[in-house]
Amino acid sequence: MVDTAAQTARSATTAAPTFQLFIAGEWVDSDSGKTFESLNPADRRDVVGRFQAGTAADVAMAVKAAEMALPRWKATPAPKRGEILYRYGALLAEHKERLARAMTREMGKVIAEAHGDIQEGIDIAFLMAGEGRRMAGETVPSELPDKWAMSIRQPIGIAGIITPWNFPMAIPCWKIMPALVTGNTVVFKPASDTPHCATLLVELMAEAGFPPGVVNLVTGSGGEVGDAIVESPDVSVISFTGHTATGKHIAERAAHRLKRVSLELGGKNAIVVMRDADLDLAADGIVWSAFGTTGQRCTAASRVIVERPVVGQLLERLEARARKLKLGSGLDESVDVGPLINPAALEKVGSYIEIGRAEGELVIGGAAATAGDLANGNFFAPTIFSGVEPMDRIAQEEIFGPVLSIVPVDDYASAVMALNQTRYGLSSAIFTTDANTAFRAMRDFETGLVYVNAGTTGAETHLPFGGWKETGNGHREAGHAALDTYTEWKSIYVDFSGRLQRAQIDNQA
Ligand code: NDP
């Protein structure tokens, strides 16, 4: 590994480097004097690095730095801010291979998917760079003569960005890029499982030319660093992605300060397979959606709702494909499925196997994979349960691992009912060759994303991304919609009549 700006010293006992916080344009140690380790989930003996265990005092310093940087940054013309985002996107592209390898080592997703994760970061950087020249408001006619009416967007202030580990580069970029182009400054707290990915992202932000204090990084626990960001009276908006329970906790804490909170939370995504579907295509889409990123995507499919006449044929195809999946370190290009993020995830996924056996029938998998090279990693075999009922626990609760439930139904109406019978609403898909059924699904599925003849994953950065129900609180990331999280609207009226004109009064007959 090459030495970086963030890396200060090598531990005397191992080769694992120690990284620092980034506050006011400087790499600094935490006030705590403590560090924590980030481990390679494919081989826990491999320590990726040691990271600062940040504190509330570190957050206060980062918020102060963000506050000091805010006046100049928001006064910088938006197209100029956008130019720095362009440079950042170009740097991500230039360093894509290095970043992808670091991501696979720290988070575990296979290298092709790590490339995709960074590509999402590049895409959002360029999209948001362009917003520097758009960021459109409205100009509308006034109800009074000689009067101009328009609206503009302005930054909210300091954005607190709290992110999960599963898209350790894409998700921070999805949040930080719109926050910056709209003129906010940022305090960023990444997941404690992927602090190296976050550090690499922020190093390149410094190189791209964001002025000191515009982006600040504080690693450390959710309870300490995350809470301090949420509680800070000077942080005006929180953008959070993670578990529904954490999101609710954050929303409650932020509510008493009337702080804006954008939440992207859990999911229980389903794919409907109709009897007229191309079953080979459906099986390919399901395997990619269920077992890609080891089932740890927010958009991963964990339920397949299938019309009874084709259950057997579909299951045969799924089992055949799942049996061929190769587990291992994602740095090996022949590997299909990497490890789960940590031992706690391994335990959680394992705990659903007994539940699944009681509720359905185990078709394949159902255990941790520990043979040979897998012994030191958090590997779990791709698992399929058949004969699951819509309200069974394995069809209702977010497992966040490679576990798929097959839910047989009689017809389209019962498929829709099963699909919508969940507290979540992120992504859904239907495989059908009937155009009418496809259009009904687009209308009837209660999710923020709907795919036709494709799996539940594959969102592109120029459309809004987010979920219904308990998957979120109505905000959206990506697309123009992302700007709403980080801006206040200001409506402006300019009267050039030279006399007092009273709206709603002087224009009445
Ligand atoms: P968590 O909720 O455990 O953690 C997310 C982030 O919140 C981490 O940075 C964590 O820090 C931090 N955090 C934890 N507790 C607090 C707290 N009390 N106050 C403030 N911050 C806190 O989620 P995971 O990282 O495990 O991510 C997996 C979840 O994310 C799944 O439910 C998945 O569905 C969801 N997700 C949703 C997406 C969507 O778009 N809807 C996209 C991707 C994932 P630390 O790591 O230090 O604990």
Side-chain angles (χ1 to χ4, degrees):
M1 186 197 287
V2 291
D3 279 1
T4 64
Q7 180 185 323
T8 51
R10 287 180 187 277
S11 147
T13 50
T14 76
T18 299
F19 295 86
Q20 294 178 293
L21 311 177
F22 190 64
I23 298 177
E26 304 285 339
W27 294 98
V28 294
D29 284 340
S30 163
D31 169 73
S32 71
K34 294 185 188 143
T35 58
F36 63 97
E37 289 182 339
S38 174
L39 306 181
N40 178 345
D43 182 350
R44 293 181 299 264
R45 297 165 305 179
D46 175 24
V47 180
V48 173
R50 293 193 167 75
F51 296 85
Q52 305 295 314
T55 63
D58 296 321
V59 171
M61 298 254 300
V63 170
K64 191 80 206 155
E67 201 174 17
M68 304 273 287
L70 187 60
R72 256 186 86 186
W73 182 243
K74 73 178 181 187
T76 303
K80 288 282 164 203
R81 294 196 297 257
E83 282 172 19
I84 305 180
L85 269 77
Y86 273 122
R87 279 206 291 282
Y88 186 60
L91 279 170
L92 288 177
E94 185 187 327
H95 292 269
K96 190 171 179 182
E97 189 57 39
R98 175 174 72 88
L99 297 174
R101 297 188 77 77
M103 187 188 304
T104 296
R105 180 174 174 219
E106 185 175 50
M107 183 274 160
K109 65 175 66 177
V110 299
I111 191 76
E113 293 185 42
H115 285 131
D117 193 308
I118 295 154
Q119 190 57 46
E120 283 192 37
I122 296 167
D123 292 347
I124 200 80
F126 287 150
L127 180 76
M128 288 299 150
E131 284 300 339
R133 288 192 180 271
R134 290 187 295 266
M135 221 177 291
E138 287 182 307
T139 306
V140 295
S142 166
E143 63 191 42
L144 290 160
D146 297 333
K147 190 175 173 188
W148 199 274
M150 61 193 168
S151 63
I152 60 168
R153 290 181 186 274
Q154 291 203 309
I156 299 188
I158 300 173
I161 305 293
I162 304 176
T163 56
W165 45 265
N166 68 335
F167 279 84
M169 295 199 184
I171 289 179
C173 290
W174 279 42
K175 295 177 185 304
I176 294 173
M177 293 299 114
L180 293 180
V181 79
T182 48
N184 303 277
T185 54
V186 162
V187 177
F188 168 32
K189 181 232 155 331
S192 296
D193 281 307
T194 50
H196 190 220
C197 290
T199 303
L200 295 174
L201 283 181
V202 171
E203 279 178 358
L204 291 180
M205 284 180 201
E207 194 177 332
F210 292 105
V214 167
V215 179
N216 303 277
L217 169 72
V218 185
T219 52
S221 77
E224 173 94 25
V225 174
D227 232 44
I229 293 173
V230 174
E231 282 293 335
S232 169
D234 300 314
V235 174
S236 317
V237 52
I238 300 288
S239 180
F240 168 82
T241 298
H243 285 292
T244 295
T246 321
K248 283 183 180 174
H249 171 78
I250 288 174
E252 282 165 14
R253 300 293 293 264
H256 72 275
R257 296 192 185 277
L258 299 180
K259 195 173 283 195
R260 187 178 301 179
V261 181
S262 165
L263 302 172
E264 292 296 338
L265 310 174
K268 194 70 192 174
N269 311 300
I271 296 178
V272 169
V273 180
M274 301 301 292
R275 66 190 78 195
D276 57 38
D278 174 339
L279 294 180
D280 285 314
L281 178 64
D284 287 341
I286 293 165
V287 167
W288 169 238
S289 302
F291 303 128
T293 319
T294 322
Q296 300 173 111
R297 295 181 186 123
C298 47
T299 53
S302 55
R303 302 182 290 155
V304 172
I305 299 167
V306 50
E307 282 198 296
R308 285 188 207 283
V310 292
V311 169
Q313 294 168 63
L314 181 68
L315 206 47
E316 206 174 274
R317 288 168 168 77
L318 291 176
E319 189 181 343
R321 284 164 172 73
R323 279 198 194 284
K324 283 195 198 135
L325 295 174
K326 180 175 169 190
L327 272 67
S329 162
L331 290 171
D332 173 349
E333 285 184 9
S334 68
V335 161
D336 302 297
V337 180
L340 290 167
I341 186 69
N342 54 35
L346 201 56
E347 199 174 313
K348 181 182 173 191
V349 174
S351 75
Y352 275 95
I353 299 307
E354 281 320 301
I355 298 168
R357 280 182 195 276
E359 292 177 337
E361 188 184 327
L362 182 65
V363 177
I364 183 175
T370 54
D373 287 349
L374 307 183
N376 295 304
N378 312 316
F379 294 96
F380 202 93
T383 298
I384 302 176
F385 285 102
S386 66
V388 176
E389 293 294 326
M391 297 308 289
D392 282 345
R393 282 185 64 190
I394 52 167
Q396 288 292 321
E397 297 173 17
E398 188 182 44
I399 301 172
F400 226 53
V403 180
L404 183 66
S405 294
I406 308 294
V407 180
V409 292
D410 292 330
D411 51 23
Y412 174 77
S414 35
V416 172
M417 187 181 290
L419 185 132
N420 290 337
Q421 267 178 338
T422 160
R423 65 189 182 112
Y424 300 112
L426 184 55
S427 187
S428 60
I430 187 164
F431 283 89
T432 179
T433 50
D434 181 333
N436 293 345
T437 308
F439 272 87
R440 287 186 191 108
M442 290 182 239
R443 178 196 61 196
D444 296 338
F445 291 2
E446 295 171 355
T447 53
L449 310 165
V450 176
Y451 293 85
V452 176
N453 290 325
T456 46
T457 189
E460 301 176 30
T461 51
H462 44 300
L463 283 181
F465 180 94
W468 292 20
K469 305 182 193 168
E470 290 194 21
T471 293
N473 62 344
H475 290 275
R476 289 292 181 271
E477 305 210 281
H480 298 298
L483 302 182
D484 292 335
T485 298
Y486 302 101
T487 51
E488 291 282 14
W489 280 112
K490 185 178 279 179
S491 297
I492 301 170
Y493 301 94
V494 183
D495 193 317
F496 51 98
S497 68
R499 62 185 186 278
L500 175 67
Q501 298 196 88
R502 296 171 303 170
Q504 292 93 38
I505 296 173
D506 291 339
N507 57 353
Q508 301 299 305

